[in-house]
Amino acid sequence: MNTSTVSAPNSALETYEQVAAASNEVAGLLAKRLKTETQGEVLFSAADRGRYATDASIYQVTPLGVFVPKHPEEVATAMAICRDLKVPIVPRGGGTSQCGQTTGVGLVIDHSKHVRNILNLDLKEGTVEVQPGIALDALNASLKKHGVWFPVDVSTSAQATLGGMAGNNSCGSRSIAYGNMVHNVLGAKAWLSDGELLDFSQFENSAGRARQIGEFVKQLAVQHQSDLQSHWPKVLRRVAGYNLDIFDNQNVRPYTPDGKVNLSHLLVGSEGTLAMTQSLTLKLSELPSSKVLGVVNFNSFYKAMDSAQHIAKLGSGTLTAVELVDRTMIELSLKIPAFAATIRTAIIGDPEAILLVEFAGSDKEKLKHELKQLVALMGDMGLPNSVVEMVDDAPQKNLWEVRKAGLNIMMSLKGDGKPVSFIEDCAVPLEHLAEYTDALTQVFQKHGTKGTWYAHASVGTLHVRPILDMRRDGPQKMRAIAEEASALVRKYKGAYSGEHGDGLCRGEWIEWQFGPAIQQAFGQIKQHLDPLNLLSPNRMVNPPKMDDTSLMRFGNNYKIIPIQTALDWSAWNVHNDAATEQTTAPGTGQDPAQGLAKAVEMCNNNGTCRKFDAGTMCPSFRVTRDEVHATRGRANTLRLALSGQLQGGLESPEVKEALDLCVGCKGCKRDCPTGVDMARMKIEVQHHYNAKHGLPLKDTLISNLPRYAHIASQWPRLMNLRNQWPWLARLAESLTGLSAERSWPEWKKEHFFNSQRVGVSAQEVLTASKPVVLFVDTFNGYFESENAWAAFDVLSAAGYQVHIASRTQQDAPGQHLCCGRTYLASGQVSKAKEHAQALLEALLPFAQKGIAIVGLEPSCLLTLRDESLVMGLGDMADTVAAHAVLFEEFLATENKAGQLDALKAQLTPAQKPILLHGHCHQKAFGLMPSITQVIQLIPQAKVDLIESSCCGMAGSFGYEASHLEVSKQMAEANLLPSIRQQQDACVVADGTSCRHQIMDGTAREAMHVALLLAQHLPK
Ligand SMILES: Cc1cc2nc3c(=O)[nH]c(=O)nc-3n(C[C@H](O)[C@H](O)[C@H](O)COP(=O)(O)OP(=O)(O)OC[C@H]3O[C@@H](n4cnc5c(N)ncnc54)[C@H](O)[C@@H]3O)c2cc1C
Ligand code: SF4
Ligand code: SF4
């Protein structure tokens, strides 16, 4: 069944028939009523249900359907329908829970798309009332201007919603200073499953049903006083079970400053099992104006753990965090391009562990003094010169980003063994931390595995996930390790569930933690608030076994369908050793999909691709906010297709729909912490889709452009008529699907490939003193020849002997060299390979001599460093890739080597500020620093980098009528407004599509950096 057939505005009856046929009658009725009675999205296709069957845990439970309410009151409507039909309800925010809290049968209600407003900000009282679907970063971004923030700073702050955070009683890195969610929630309005909306706030002021609930829980607390006092862990970080102790506080930090009971605290940590949150009132904190960070380097892990208790006493109230990053994590970070430089700023030599110690407040001088005290303490403890002092904000912020990505970094291990979340947040008193971590490490060793340690040393909640292979003996080992870990937790009087909640994974441990009497009391609370047992049943009360493989993502029946891939995925097709983390040789992992499935399975659902503010990933999700259009939604769809859980597999309409808005920007290749490379996957999938369904006319037209360009350019007037006659543009749209609203690139009779600039011969460049080979692509060669000429002129002015790469074969008369990008964009891998092969053969002799091959269009040149390496082109692809560089990369490197003095002497000063937009592929390869450095070769150049994701044009994507609106919205997210704001600036963009989008959206001419430099050469 196609998603769109269910979510499109078809009749409720049709919806019923389709859903009932595909699922069952109840599902059909549910979908029909939701469709009739609400305006929300009713997602009941197999693909949608599959996408909502997982969160960031190991579990998978397929829901009956998904509802995305458009208006908050529709949540109540959906609940009423579920009540009538006796369908359970699973509330959901960002779906980043690690224990399976959001996986469940019934109707998943996703609040994150529309139910995300700030309802009331009261700065005088220091409170804010929000809807549950708002993400923490979004809330804090809007609070920043007022000098306040909501300080429960979970690592998933960009994608975690306040409703989900309250559901899980989440805790941030700075909980030592601010406490957990429960310490920061002041009130909640929530629906009980019988439909009554209650105001949960101060118990003493409560009335009616809320009062009666309070009285009921109070009486249970009194009844179980002795068990409460003897069984309740006395640590800050205890999130298991219901907060029965609101009436008899057991937490080391009281839930309220005045000790009064707040009934909303009963819902905090209840994981959506007691009530559905309509809004939350939160306590705000003053945003500290200053922070300093001391990074303590340890050459022994034990020592680091042992020191935490002493460090935690520093700061007289200004200490806000003590966070651990261990050796494995440091090593993994060093291997990830986005993090390597940052982690180097924090380490001294080869530490076994580092502790990030933060002090925050309003007086920077005082904080610097605290930092000195940390240095002194470490000296006293026999560790002089072990602290990297970070006083400036930027390096601190960068390092926190690495720490926040901790789990994701760990998850980048290839192979079936993965770090598994089930004991990753046990909390023990600080004085036992060193012994506890030591003993647990031995448990891991005993079971032939290891764990990477990181996170909240300040509060004794260290994250650790042993590596287990959940398709093989993982579940048994998980049980055994859990038993032994729990014994340690008990020995050290800790909390088994200290941060990430209970869900499916720790439900069965609630009774272990609190004893049967309190477990029974929890059952009574559930029964009292949700007698219909509609809200996430069988979770905190009557939970399943944690190792029930029928509830797992890679459960007993998980099997990959064999397929022959077009690209080489063997790098993922490996096994790993849980104890050493070593992987076997590429291609040895026994993946029936030749590595593609294992590449797809790298997605652990953490939801970083739902971020809005940093990096490039994921432009389409940023526009639609639909799960299907996040990298996660796409990866899940592919996993379902590859494992036979989606009829039609890779060729199915569901897969096509999921990838339709993927612009191939490679943002995920760099920004996804586990390196899910959806751009490459899209090429592979399109290859399979084309094989079954054929190639659309538009793809034939666009992909063959490099083949016919030399002929078309001979009749420019004829070819350009389409741009001049609107009726022709409309006709072309109806025939090809390419929007009449977009102009097409203009053909020119005179272009680079037939111009007089010939450069030196191949023979000459091989023996030249300053040789360089210029590879000019189709777009800069035919449509924007001024860029190619400019590059030639700049390189010549810098004293290089420039050879222009051209075909060596005689079989393609008149044709230029091409990387095959246009074919790759539509999944035509074999045709792309033909072109790439000719290009590589032409470039190989120069690469073998170590001569740089310089390109201008990022997407073309970088194909040589990316897709060319996985098309079966052999060693020559590696040799050429090693020497293929973008124009600005070449100049930046040469400048560092002192080779550009001649060029610099000629450049005239900049007259205007310069605004720079990076092409997504430039960003994916981390090349923005090069272009910035090269622009700065121009005297007095002031360059501002626009913080933008994809421009939205992305090859042919933005030309297509079906994508026009999304394409424009991508550009409007940041890029175009930034350009409009600076009318006097000169705009630099290296991508031909980016320049087109900028022109269409702002009527401003953006230029390639080569042209910018050439314009600053004397005429
Ligand atoms: C990489 C990674 C790092 C993490 N780091 C941290 C961390 O530092 N600290 C931390 O505490 N956690 C952390 N987590 C766990 C998780 O991100 C947090 O618990 C987060 O707050 C969950 O938010 P969410 O919006 O994704 O909630 P979801 O997972 O969608 O939901 C969480 C719970 O809340 C319930 N819920 C959601 N909305 C409602 C509603 N309207 N009414 C009633 N119940 C509702 C759900 O049913 C579920 O039980 C991490 C997870 C990952 C993957
Ligand atoms: S695609 Fe990457 S960023 Fe997104 S959820 Fe999966 S692993 Fe996380
Ligand atoms: S390639 Fe770009 S659009 Fe596609 S999933 Fe990755 S980040 Fe999103």
Side-chain angles (χ1 to χ4, degrees), residues 617-620 631 634 661-668 678-679:
M617 175 176 72
C618 171
S620 44
T631 317
R634 294 181 176 127
L661 299 189
C662 168
V663 289
C665 67
K666 303 190 183 178
C668 44
M678 193 51 65

Side-chain angles (χ1 to χ4, degrees), residues 857-896:
E857 172 60 32
S859 58
C860 295
L861 186 278
L862 294 171
T863 299
L864 292 173
R865 301 210 318 234
D866 193 346
E867 290 88 348
S868 288
L869 301 174
V870 291
M871 288 199 277
L873 289 161
D875 291 347
M876 73 174 169
D878 295 305
T879 312
V880 170
H883 295 92
V885 283
L886 277 176
F887 173 79
E888 58 269 20
E889 262 184 297
F890 175 71
L891 289 186
T893 314
E894 292 294 280
N895 185 41
K896 275 197 194 117

